[in-house]
C-alpha cells in the first residue's frame, strides 16, 4: 500500500486506461503537469497495419523535454537485497494480481495484457522452426527459463499456492516485455513503470537505451522515473522511445515484433568443426552476417580458422585470422565459397518461410514473422550481391565445416 492510501478500494470511472491515469494522478503529490500527465492522452489506434495502444502528446514537445514522470512509489520493483531480481519481481506481480481489487496496483495490473504474443508463446510444432534455427533455439531457451521460474516460485521459501505454468508465463512475459531500465535491477529484470511501459518503440540512429528512462530526484523530496523526448514531437503525435540495439530475434523474444528495416539485425550462421573450434572457448559456434551484408570480424576469424588446413595450422599462419587478416589465398577462397553456398541455401529457406507464413494462427504473429523473414532476406540478398559472394572453384575441403540453419 502506498503512503496515505485508503485501505478500502474504490471503483474509478471510465475505461481501464482512464482509470489508470486517474489512479496515477491521485498518487502524485504535485500538479499533474509536473509529471506530464496533463499533457498526455492514452488511446488505442486502429490503422491498416495494426491496432495498438499508445501515448500521444496534446502539446508540442522539443527534443529533451520531459514527456512523463512517474513516482517511484507507484512502480513495481524487486527488493534491492534480492539475489534473483527476475524471480522476485515475477513473484510480486503474481501476488498483487491475485489480490484483485485489494492490490495497490490493481488499476495498473488490469491494464496489462492478459495474453502475450512473444516468441515463447508460439506453438512448439510451428512449421517455421524447421526453417530458422535461431528462432527455434531462442524459443526453447525461453521455454526452459519459464519452466525453471515455475520451479523456483514453487519452492518452499517462495511458495505461491497452486501456481500454474500459465500464471508464470504471464508474469515472465509481463516483466520481459514491459520492464524499464533501472541501474540496480537491469538487465535481469528492471522495474514496471505504470503508463511509462506503454510507450512504443521507434528506431533511433544511436539505438537508444532500454526505454530511454532514468531515475531522478526532484524538489518535492520524491524519486521519479522520468522519460524525455529523444526528438521533437508535434501536438497530437504519438510519443515514443527506443528499446535498444536489438536484433529481430531478440525483438521477437522480448517484445513480440520484428522490423523489416532493422539496422541492428543480423543473419546467424551456426558452426561445428572437427578440429580447431572444438573445446576452445575463444571461438564461438555462432557467427554473424551484419545488417549491411558484410561478414563480421568474428565470422571471418572463426571461418578462416575452421577452414584452415592442417599445414596452415601447424605453421601458425592461422594467427593472422586473430588480427582480422586472411590466412592464405586458398583459405580465403574456401571462406568465400562456404559463405556463398550457405547464404544461397538460407535465401531458399527464407523464401519458403515467407510463402507459408499464412499458416500461423494470429495476425500479429504472422506480421512479426514476415518482418523477421524480410529483414533476413534483405541481409542475405545484400551479401549475395556484394564482394564477398565471389564464386571460386568448388573445393571439397569446404565440407570440413558444417553450417546448420
Amino acid at each position: 500500500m502506498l503512503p496515505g492510501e485508503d485501505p478500502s478500494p474504490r471503483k474509478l470511472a471510465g475505461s481501464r486506461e482512464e482509470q489508470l491515469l486517474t489512479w496515477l494522478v491521485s498518487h502524485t503529490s504535485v500538479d499533474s503537469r509536473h509529471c506530464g500527465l496533463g499533457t498526455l492522452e492514452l488511446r488505442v489506434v486502429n490503422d491498416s497495419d495494426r491496432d495498438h495502444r499508445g501515448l500521444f502528446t496534446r502539446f508540442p514537445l522539443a527534443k529533451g523535454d520531459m514527456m512523463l514522470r512517474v513516482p517511484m512509489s507507484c512502480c513495481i520493483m524487486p527488493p534491492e537485497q534480492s539475489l534473483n531480481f527476475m524471480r522476485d519481481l515475477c513473484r510480486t506481480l503474481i501476488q498483487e494480481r491475485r489480490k484483485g481489487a485489494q492490490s495497490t496496483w490493481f488499476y495498473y495490473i488490469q491494464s496489462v495484457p492478459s495474453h502475450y504474443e512473444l516468441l515463447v508463446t508460439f506453438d512448439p510444432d510451428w512449421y517455421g522452426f524447421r526453417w530458422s534455427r535461431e528462432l527455434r533455439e531462442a524459443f526453447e531457451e525461453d521455454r526452459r527459463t519459464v519452466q525453471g521460474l515455475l520451479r523456483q516460485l514453487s519452492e518452499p521459501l517462495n511458495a505461491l499456492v497452486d501456481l500454474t505454468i500459465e500464471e508464470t508465463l504471464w508474469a515472465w512475459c509481463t516483466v520481459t516485455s514491459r520492464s524499464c531500465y533501472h541501474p540496480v535491477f537491469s538487465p535481469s529484470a528492471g522495474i514496471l513503470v505504470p503508463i511509462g511501459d506503454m510507450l512504443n518503440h521507434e528506431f533511433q540512429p544511436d539505438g537508444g537505451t532500454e526505454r530511454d528512462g532514468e531515475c531522478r530526484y526532484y524538489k518535492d523530496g520524491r524519486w521519479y522515473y522520468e522519460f524525455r523526448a529523444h526528438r521533437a514531437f508535434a501536438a497530437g503525435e504519438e510519443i515514443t522511445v527506443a528499446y535498444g540495439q536489438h536484433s529481430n530475434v531478440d525483438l521477437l523474444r522480448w517484445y513480440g515484433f520484428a522490423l523489416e528495416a532493422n539496422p541492428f539485425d543480423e543473419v546467424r550462421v551456426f558452426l561445428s568443426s572437427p578440429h580447431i573450434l572444438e573445446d576452445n572457448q575463444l571461438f564461438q559456434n555462432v557467427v554473424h552476417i551484419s545488417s549491411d551484408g558484410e561478414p563480421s570480424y568474428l565470422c571471418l576469424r572463426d571461418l578462416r580458422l575452421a577452414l584452415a588446413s592442417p599445414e596452415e595450422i601447424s605453421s601458425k599462419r592461422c594467427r593472422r585470422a586473430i588480427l582480422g587478416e586472411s590466412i592464405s589465398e586458398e583459405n580465403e577462397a574456401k571462406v568465400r565459397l562456404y559463405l556463398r553456398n550457405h547464404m544461397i541455401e538460407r535465401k531458399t529457406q527464407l523464401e519458403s518461410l515467407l510463402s507459408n507464413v499464412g499458416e500461423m494462427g494470429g495476425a500479429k504473429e504472422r506480421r512479426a514473422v514476415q518482418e523477421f523473414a524480410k529483414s533476413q532476406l534483405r541481409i542475405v540478398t545484400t551479401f549475395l550481391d556484394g564482394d564477398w559472394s565471389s564464386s571460386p572453384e568448388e573445393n571439397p575441403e569446404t565440407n570440413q565445416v558444417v553450417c546448420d540453419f
Side-chain angles (χ1 to χ4, degrees):
M1 184 176 297
L2 300 181
E5 184 173 25
D6 185 349
S8 57
R10 58 192 179 89
K11 180 69 175 177
L12 299 179
S15 67
R16 290 185 174 185
E17 290 78 18
E18 291 169 337
Q19 291 172 359
L20 178 60
L21 282 170
T22 302
W23 171 80
L24 194 56
V25 169
S26 70
H27 290 95
T28 302
S29 62
V30 294
D31 189 289
S32 62
R33 288 174 294 181
H34 172 82
C35 290
L37 297 174
T39 68
L40 298 180
E41 180 184 359
L42 178 59
R43 66 174 186 257
V44 176
V45 177
N46 306 100
D47 55 36
S48 57
D49 294 327
R50 63 189 177 108
D51 296 343
H52 71 283
R53 183 171 58 176
L55 290 171
F56 296 76
T57 178
R58 293 189 174 95
F59 306 102
L61 291 172
K63 182 177 181 179
D65 282 355
M66 184 272 296
M67 299 191 299
L68 175 66
R69 290 188 189 124
V70 178
M72 292 293 286
S73 58
C74 292
C75 300
I76 303 179
M77 63 188 78
E80 290 192 25
Q81 66 272 21
S82 169
L83 299 178
N84 188 323
F85 296 135
M86 171 62 79
R87 178 200 64 200
D88 291 342
L89 184 54
C90 287
R91 179 179 57 200
T92 299
L93 191 59
I94 293 171
Q95 289 171 334
E96 293 300 324
R97 189 193 198 195
R98 288 182 171 187
K99 292 178 183 177
Q102 300 298 322
S103 171
T104 296
W105 289 278
F106 170 70
Y107 292 106
Y108 168 66
I109 292 175
Q110 74 166 356
S111 72
V112 170
S114 59
H115 172 73
Y116 290 89
E117 293 172 311
L118 308 187
L119 184 62
V120 72
T121 66
F122 280 25
D123 183 345
D125 297 324
W126 175 51
Y127 80 96
F129 288 140
R130 299 196 307 266
W131 301 115
S132 177
R133 177 175 169 179
E134 57 261 62
L135 289 185
R136 182 176 71 252
E137 291 195 348
F139 167 83
E140 292 171 349
E141 179 182 346
D142 290 346
R143 281 276 176 163
R144 289 192 298 269
T145 298
V146 173
Q147 291 164 354
L149 180 62
L150 173 61
R151 290 192 296 271
Q152 292 174 11
L153 293 175
S154 300
E155 293 172 353
L157 290 177
N158 304 303
L160 287 170
V161 180
D162 298 326
L163 181 64
T164 65
I165 187 64
E166 290 76 19
E167 275 186 301
T168 308
L169 180 62
W170 171 81
W172 186 85
C173 287
T174 299
V175 172
T176 299
S177 64
R178 306 187 73 81
S179 63
C180 298
Y181 172 80
H182 189 283
V184 174
F185 310 119
S186 296
S188 62
I191 65 175
L192 295 171
V193 183
I195 301 294
D197 63 359
M198 294 182 182
L199 288 163
N200 289 313
H201 172 75
E202 181 182 29
F203 164 71
Q204 297 177 29
D206 62 359
T209 59
E210 297 291 333
R211 292 194 190 273
D212 287 349
E214 60 178 308
C215 302
R216 292 193 174 229
Y217 187 76
Y218 288 92
K219 293 181 180 179
D220 63 348
R222 302 179 71 183
W223 282 99
Y224 289 84
Y225 197 93
E226 180 182 83
F227 298 87
R228 289 188 172 270
H230 63 88
R231 63 171 177 84
F233 291 95
E237 186 177 1
E238 181 178 4
I239 57 175
T240 57
V241 293
Y243 290 179
Q245 300 182 13
H246 301 303
S247 69
N248 277 338
V249 171
D250 291 339
L251 288 177
L252 271 170
R253 294 177 70 178
W254 300 329
Y255 304 109
F257 67 86
L259 301 172
E260 181 178 352
N262 183 358
F264 306 113
D265 200 14
E266 59 197 11
V267 171
R268 301 182 184 185
V269 180
F270 297 84
L271 301 176
S272 60
S273 169
H275 49 278
I276 194 167
L277 299 189
E278 283 189 348
D279 301 321
N280 192 329
Q281 295 182 354
L282 176 63
F283 306 108
Q284 307 176 94
N285 67 341
V286 182
V287 293
H288 307 95
I289 305 296
S290 304
S291 179
D292 58 4
E294 291 292 318
S296 66
Y297 157 76
L298 293 178
C299 175
L300 293 176
R301 182 197 71 181
D302 290 1
L303 274 176
R304 285 164 175 161
L305 291 170
L307 293 168
S309 65
E311 293 75 19
E312 289 170 334
I313 294 173
S314 61
S315 68
K316 298 184 180 181
R317 279 187 288 167
C318 58
R319 290 179 178 177
R320 297 175 183 174
I322 306 296
L323 302 175
E325 301 173 357
S326 62
I327 295 176
S328 67
E329 290 185 5
E330 181 183 3
N331 177 267
E332 203 72 356
K334 294 178 185 179
V335 171
R336 289 176 179 269
L337 179 61
Y338 174 83
L339 285 174
R340 178 176 178 273
N341 288 344
H342 287 288
M343 288 302 101
I344 290 174
E345 180 183 358
R346 185 57 184 271
K347 182 179 180 181
T348 301
Q349 294 169 339
L350 289 167
E351 289 171 343
S352 297
L353 180 58
L354 278 172
S355 64
N356 293 285
V357 74
E359 295 179 18
M360 294 196 68
K364 183 177 179 181
E365 293 171 328
R366 288 197 298 271
R367 181 169 57 247
V369 172
Q370 284 175 335
E371 296 295 293
F372 165 80
K374 288 177 181 178
S375 176
Q376 295 276 290
L377 190 58
R378 174 186 59 80
I379 297 172
V380 170
T381 302
T382 302
F383 171 85
L384 292 174
D385 291 341
D387 294 338
W388 274 98
S389 184
S390 58
S391 182
E393 287 187 27
E394 287 287 340
N395 188 326
E397 292 188 43
T398 57
N399 292 326
Q400 289 178 336
V401 177
V402 177
C403 174
D404 181 6
F405 292 110

